[in-house]
Amino acid sequence: MMDTLIPLFPVGGMPGGTELIVILLIAVLLFGANKIPKLARSTGQAMGEFQKGREQVEAELEEMKEGATIDDDGNIVDEDGEILKTEAERETEASIDSSDSSSSSN
């Protein structure tokens, strides 16, 4: 019995032009030509949501480095307990930042 693995793309590890065409053809056969744009759109939306969440976490970490903490309500507070930024303000900033980054890439 053969215990060795045969690589999918043996030369260089990355698919070349011919392999990409074969993969695209298989995708069209599996999903149909009408569903591929919907699939790409939903994938793009998921990636955008992931990026927005990542940016929110990065902003929270940056603010926590500056000595602020996050209370149970999601507000950013300083050492004295004063609210520096509410959760709604942070979400608004994150949505503005993500719309700016998406509009600048188009």
Side-chain angles (χ1 to χ4, degrees):
M1 192 149 177
M2 207 156 110
D3 289 337
T4 60
L5 295 175
I6 300 171
L8 186 59
F9 305 109
V11 179
M14 292 298 295
T18 306
E19 289 90 355
L20 289 176
I21 291 172
V22 170
I23 291 170
L24 182 62
L25 180 65
I26 292 171
V28 169
L29 290 173
L30 285 175
F31 298 108
N34 295 336
K35 290 188 180 181
I36 289 181
K38 293 176 188 176
L39 182 66
R41 189 177 306 114
S42 65
T43 302
Q45 288 173 345
M47 290 174 61
E49 289 295 319
F50 177 78
Q51 182 179 7
K52 186 168 84 170
R54 182 182 53 86
E55 289 170 356
Q56 286 178 343
V57 169
E58 287 175 353
E60 289 175 9
L61 290 174
E62 187 64 33
E63 289 165 352
M64 289 170 66
K65 282 182 189 176
E66 295 169 359
T69 58
I70 299 175
D71 66 4
D72 294 336
D73 297 327
N75 301 323
I76 298 174
V77 295
D78 61 8
E79 294 88 17
D80 300 328
E82 293 183 30
I83 295 176
L84 300 175
K85 216 179 272 186
T86 64
E87 183 179 16
E89 290 172 338
R90 292 186 303 124
E91 289 175 358
T92 302
E93 286 179 359
S95 66
I96 291 171
D97 291 342
S98 66
S99 66
D100 287 345
S101 65
S102 65
S103 64
S104 64
S105 66
N106 288 337

